[in-house]
Amino acid sequence: MSEPIYLRVAVPVPVRSLFDYLPPPGVDHRALVPGIRVLVPFGSGRRCGVLVEVSNRAAGEGGVLKPALRLLDHEPLLPAGDLDLLRWAADYYQHPVGDVVTAALPARLRQGREPLDDIRSGWRVTGTGKAVDPTTLSRAPRQATLLALLQGEAGGLTLEELRERGGDSRSALRALQQKGWVERCLVEPRPRPLPERSPAPTLGREQKQALDAIGGRLGRFAAILLEGVTGSGKTEVYLGAVEQVLERGRQVLVLVPEIGLTPQLVGRFQRRLRAPVVLLHSGLSDGERERAWQQARRGTARVVIGTRSAVFVPLPELGLVIVDEEHDLSLKQQEGFRYSARDVAVMRARRCGCPVVLGSATPSLESLRNALDGRYLHRRLTRRAGGAAQPRMDLLDIRSVRLDAGVSPALLRLVGETLDAGDQVLLFLNRRGYAPILTCFDCGWVARCRRCDAHMTLHWKSRRLWCHHCGSQRPLERTCPDCGGAGLHPLGQGTERLEEMLRGRFPDAGLVRVDRDSTQRRGSMERLLEEIRAGRHRLLVGTQMLAKGHHFPDVTLVGILDVDQGLFGADFRAGERMAQMVTQVAGRAGRAAKPGRVVIQTRHPDHPLMQDLVRQGYDAFARAALAERRAACLPPYSHQVLLRAESVRPEQPVGFLEQAVEMARRHAGPEVGFWGPVPAPMERRAGRYRAHLLLQADRRQPLQQLLAAWIPELAATRLARRVRWSIDVDPQEMF
Ligand code: ADP
Ligand code: ZN
Ligand code: ZN
């Protein structure tokens, strides 16, 4: 008789272990390949899990194991190396392995459904439609565009392809369908027509050195920090490296913080490379995402550009990983499975033996320390490409200055002069809405969120009060709810209020506001960016959405209205974030032939951090900040883990955490320090009371050892089932 065989299966349930099953009856054991999906009985129902290991010993003891019901795939969806990476990540970040592994699959596959085949639904012209001259549709330009596109492609186009080519209007399609000129059809996949190639510029000396450093390390692990000032041509270095990797027949993974913010990057990759590039981000439909994922897995896609979760996409021939804007907070997932896509990317490159490039104008202090200590190779681009100068930065002291919607008369004068000269101006304020506070001048009432310890933000256009912490909303009161008086007034300003003031003063500047409220509709961000580049708007007002990655050649003045909260934030990273933000926003100025100027309003012009940043740049700031962190034993000179807890009952979170500390002390060596439990800075949020416990050690290892012993024990306690709690390894935010 042959050995018994056990299947170890990752099942999407919040339990920190794999589950053992027997093989489905009658299944050929050669079909039991890790990485395939299996349908298993679970509780009273069934779940779709992923086979992770085949073993001849059961992990748990006793009990009668049930057989799995059915294998769902013939070939592994997750190859062995990728499965290992997922298991490592589940361990390192202390997140249930079943959740981590199954979340790496596209939604439909996770639900146990059949993979999509490659025939896609789309649209094509009818016989009558073929004969229609699109120019006769001049009163309906969208229909004309669509008709022309479809006439050019007899086999039809999918909605996705229509969108890429600039004709993604369902209403126009329906109108054409009613006329009988287009119809639905199935579209065969075909190689994409590659767009016209744009030639590469001749690289500058520093760019060449950076490229050589990467090119010389293909085929083995190396981490390279590419620290290049904004506009220094980092993307050109990436492209050069990608070309070399593609020539060697390998795939490339490019991680970017937010795809919506980097359409230009994607366009540049597609125009430059003679290879299929696919995108992976949350804006795709489930079907689109699954197709892109499958193309990556099968190797038909050679370059994958994606947001953080793309770090787990299967790539059988991975040869290079690039993390653009490696400092960006959105590379860290802040809920559920809390992982850093940057750190996982480095681990992935190490495991598969290929280089990883971390690029930024404002590197995180973590990466900078690794570079300065020699663990990462450090290449710098110190000058802007193509001869553009670095912008000049000035602090504008606004103590005892009368501001109008947050703007000083001196800055307003500069705005006027710049607009008169025909250039573009960008004003940056990282707060949306009209005003952060609504108060009654008669009795002192302030609009507060009923579910959080926070003020409601006034949104004037929609006449609503909004809590930016929990999302609750209510209509704006006309009179004070406390005294009934008419003395309600907004205090402080957000982008809406700034917009209102500036429209009044500069009515002809074509002002545009770019923030989350003004770009909610799909595609609206791209449209706004297009209009800005075309010169339709000369006055740009925005939040950090405007700060990242964009290239606006005609912006010569950047005004930063409110940086002071970054200087005194409760979080020890507040200064780093402020400096990154200021440098990134400033980097939008004067990127082309015209020199740029940056004006930063502050009430603390003598603050040493501000002085370092403005006089000597991010580089000097970051080195000074690292010295401070070292002296204070803060990350990156130590490692942290944050245990958060929340509950509707005020006493429970701290109670749970106290029990947790006690338990942890029994497992912890002397190297691990504990801070707390303490209530979170904003104790009540969305109706729950929150508290946390911070753990810190000089090395990762004692923390990891502690977690491995402590968390399973903690999870089994009674209180652990009453409060909501989570563990955050290498936390980026302290609340
Ligand atoms: P970064 O990614 O560092 O912000 P980019 O790669 O976007 O910089 O380069 C900024 C601008 O300079 C782009 O318009 C790019 O085409 C141009 N550029 C980059 N490298 C060169 C070069 N070697 N010669 C001429 N222009 C360049
Ligand atoms: Zn009142
Ligand atoms: Zn709230």
Side-chain angles (χ1 to χ4, degrees):
M1 221 178 109
S2 63
E3 293 258 310
I5 285 192
Y6 301 100
L7 308 185
R8 315 213 59 211
V9 180
V11 184
V13 290
V15 173
R16 291 161 197 276
S17 62
L18 297 168
F19 292 86
D20 285 345
Y21 290 91
L22 299 171
V27 149
D28 180 348
H29 288 183
R30 279 169 303 183
L32 299 171
V33 190
I36 60 171
R37 293 172 302 154
V38 286
L39 196 64
V40 294
F42 199 90
S44 57
R46 41 174 63 185
R47 297 284 166 105
C48 168
V50 173
L51 177 60
V52 165
E53 228 176 86
V54 180
S55 159
N56 47 22
R57 266 186 320 174
E61 62 226 63
V64 181
L65 291 181
K66 292 184 185 168
L69 301 170
R70 196 149 56 83
L71 308 185
L72 297 177
D73 299 301
H74 301 293
E75 51 169 6
L77 292 184
L78 296 168
D82 297 325
L83 264 183
D84 286 349
L85 180 74
L86 289 162
R87 292 180 75 180
W88 168 81
D91 268 357
Y92 182 79
Y93 292 108
Q94 286 292 325
H95 195 75
V97 60
D99 226 23
V100 172
V101 171
T102 52
L105 299 175
R108 291 180 61 271
L109 299 179
R110 202 183 313 147
Q111 293 152 9
R113 293 162 69 183
E114 283 283 300
L116 288 171
D117 54 31
D118 260 358
I119 297 194
R120 299 133 338 135
S121 65
W123 295 83
R124 70 176 169 215
V125 280
T126 58
T128 9
K130 241 177 246 167
V132 179
D133 177 2
T135 57
T136 59
L137 286 168
S138 60
R139 306 247 321 268
R142 280 168 191 245
Q143 291 181 38
T145 313
L146 275 168
L147 188 62
L149 281 172
L150 291 171
Q151 284 176 341
E153 204 71 65
L157 289 165
T158 64
L159 272 180
E160 186 186 3
E161 289 164 334
L162 284 170
R163 180 180 320 136
E164 274 166 15
R165 300 182 197 188
D168 163 40
S169 166
R170 282 164 210 249
S171 59
L173 273 170
R174 271 197 300 277
L176 289 170
Q177 187 184 25
Q178 270 158 19
K179 292 174 185 153
W181 296 345
V182 305
E183 60 189 7
R184 287 181 182 276
C185 68
L186 291 178
V187 183
E188 295 276 350
R190 71 183 97 73
R192 280 165 186 272
L194 294 167
E196 189 117 339
R197 268 182 102 176
S198 50
T202 313
L203 294 187
R205 191 177 51 85
E206 290 177 328
Q207 283 174 312
K208 224 181 276 139
Q209 285 169 352
L211 179 58
D212 288 346
I214 306 164
R217 285 168 179 78
L218 298 185
R220 61 193 154 109
F221 171 71
I224 299 129
L225 175 63
L226 182 59
E227 179 180 10
V229 298
T230 51
S232 59
K234 290 183 290 298
T235 312
E236 290 300 333
V237 175
Y238 302 155
L239 283 165
V242 172
E243 280 179 328
Q244 292 185 19
V245 176
L246 293 177
E247 267 164 38
R248 291 175 153 224
R250 309 216 61 100
Q251 292 173 291
V252 180
L253 172 63
V254 184
L255 296 177
V256 295
E258 287 157 72
I259 224 99
L261 302 182
T262 42
Q264 288 166 297
L265 177 85
V266 174
R268 273 168 80 182
F269 270 68
Q270 278 169 337
R271 280 192 302 278
R272 179 70 63 76
L273 303 169
R274 275 259 155 257
V277 177
V278 301
L279 306 185
L280 270 176
H281 58 91
S282 55
L284 300 177
S285 70
D286 285 352
E288 290 167 338
R289 217 181 135 75
E290 183 178 329
R291 285 202 174 82
W293 190 88
Q294 292 281 24
Q295 286 170 15
R297 183 179 78 79
R298 297 196 180 114
T300 42
R302 304 313 295 173
V303 178
V304 173
I305 303 181
T307 43
R308 62 177 177 249
S309 64
V311 74
F312 294 113
V313 78
L315 291 160
E317 298 170 316
L318 184 60
L320 174 68
V321 184
I322 294 169
V323 185
D324 190 31
E325 309 292 357
E326 67 86 31
H327 65 280
D328 199 290
L329 202 53
S330 55
L331 288 166
K332 171 87 198 289
Q333 180 141 305
Q334 309 275 20
E335 60 203 33
F337 174 28
R338 293 167 169 80
Y339 65 93
S340 153
R342 176 195 62 214
D343 297 348
V344 174
V346 173
M347 182 49 82
R348 184 168 186 179
R350 181 187 296 278
R351 289 170 161 254
C352 93
C354 75
V356 54
V357 179
L358 308 179
S360 176
T362 52
S364 62
L365 296 188
E366 279 79 5
S367 297
L368 195 62
R369 182 201 174 189
N370 280 324
L372 296 178
D373 287 358
R375 275 194 292 274
Y376 292 179
L377 209 66
H378 196 183
R379 286 293 176 273
R380 303 181 57 183
L381 308 178
T382 54
R383 283 181 309 174
R384 285 189 157 182
Q390 280 281 61
R392 176 179 139 199
M393 267 203 228
D394 293 306
L395 290 176
L396 187 62
D397 184 353
I398 52 166
R399 283 174 297 187
S400 65
V401 171
R402 235 188 103 85
L403 305 177
D404 189 355
V407 189
S408 62
L411 181 53
L412 277 175
R413 210 160 39 242
L414 280 174
V415 172
E417 287 167 15
T418 312
L419 292 174
D420 286 345
D423 293 339
Q424 281 176 325
V425 175
L426 191 165
L427 292 182
F428 175 82
L429 176 62
N430 208 19
R431 194 185 296 120
R432 65 205 169 87
Y434 190 86
I437 296 173
L438 179 71
T439 186
C440 172
F441 279 4
D442 298 334
C443 74
W445 173 86
V446 173
R448 291 183 181 282
C449 178
R450 295 179 186 127
R451 308 173 66 215
C452 308
D453 298 331
H455 296 139
M456 299 292 272
T457 298
L458 171 62
H459 284 246
W460 185 242
K461 281 210 173 124
S462 56
R463 299 289 192 279
R464 297 186 82 76
L465 293 171
W466 252 32
C467 174
H468 287 185
H469 301 282
C470 70
S472 49
Q473 293 191 17
R474 57 183 195 250
L476 179 60
E477 290 94 345
R478 284 165 187 273
T479 52
C480 173
D482 256 18
C483 71
L488 292 183
H489 286 273
L491 283 186
Q493 41 275 321
T495 46
E496 263 190 9
R497 189 175 204 173
L498 183 60
E499 171 184 8
E500 177 191 80
M501 182 276 285
L502 292 167
R503 270 196 204 286
R505 284 188 184 249
F506 306 104
D508 307 321
L511 181 146
V512 65
R513 170 165 63 90
V514 180
D515 57 26
R516 235 190 312 149
D517 299 323
S518 69
T519 56
Q520 263 171 356
R521 292 204 11 231
R522 183 173 176 150
S524 53
M525 180 74 185
E526 284 81 349
R527 207 193 60 240
L528 284 181
L529 290 174
E530 209 39 66
E531 291 175 7
I532 292 171
R533 278 194 293 275
R536 296 252 295 279
H537 308 285
R538 286 188 300 125
L539 187 46
L540 325 178
V541 171
T543 56
Q544 56 174 342
M545 291 191 87
L546 260 187
K548 296 182 184 178
H550 309 299
H551 187 54
F552 303 129
D554 288 333
V555 169
T556 58
L557 174 66
V558 167
I560 301 177
L561 301 190
D562 190 4
V563 293
D564 289 344
Q565 52 188 1
L567 294 173
F568 304 102
D571 192 322
F572 70 87
R573 286 191 175 85
E576 176 186 357
R577 304 254 178 258
M578 182 274 293
Q580 286 164 343
M581 182 92 89
V582 166
T583 310
Q584 295 286 345
V585 183
R588 303 310 116 211
R591 284 171 64 101
K594 304 172 188 173
R597 175 153 188 208
V598 181
V599 173
I600 304 170
Q601 294 191 159
T602 177
R603 291 198 162 81
H604 305 276
D606 303 322
H607 194 289
L609 275 179
M610 287 303 288
Q611 288 288 340
D612 276 350
L613 184 62
V614 169
R615 293 230 181 102
Q616 304 172 61
Y618 182 80
D619 189 37
F621 160 86
R623 281 154 181 80
L626 268 180
E628 277 182 19
R629 297 268 185 97
R630 185 198 288 273
C633 287
L634 284 169
Y637 296 95
S638 62
H639 300 277
Q640 297 181 333
V641 170
L642 196 61
L643 177 63
R644 297 185 179 89
E646 56 176 57
S647 163
V648 289
R649 309 251 313 263
E651 74 290 348
Q652 271 187 345
V654 170
F656 167 74
L657 293 173
E658 273 166 359
Q659 185 183 330
V661 181
E662 206 174 294
M663 199 178 269
R665 284 193 200 281
R666 275 187 262 131
H667 294 290
E671 285 171 277
V672 179
F674 296 86
W675 277 264
V678 289
M682 184 194 296
E683 185 173 7
R684 203 169 57 104
R685 179 169 172 172
R688 293 167 175 278
Y689 294 85
R690 308 177 311 145
H692 60 234
L693 167 70
L694 183 69
L695 281 65
Q696 184 174 308
D698 290 347
R699 297 180 306 124
R700 285 181 206 282
Q701 203 213 358
L703 277 175
Q704 283 288 321
Q705 272 170 356
L706 167 61
L707 292 178
W710 172 46
I711 296 301
E713 193 180 321
L714 184 64
T717 60
R718 218 159 43 90
L719 255 183
R721 269 168 267 142
R722 298 241 181 102
V723 303
R724 268 199 213 171
W725 60 279
S726 64
I727 196 94
D728 193 347
V729 178
D730 306 328
Q732 288 292 312
E733 287 182 316
M734 289 298 155
F735 46 80

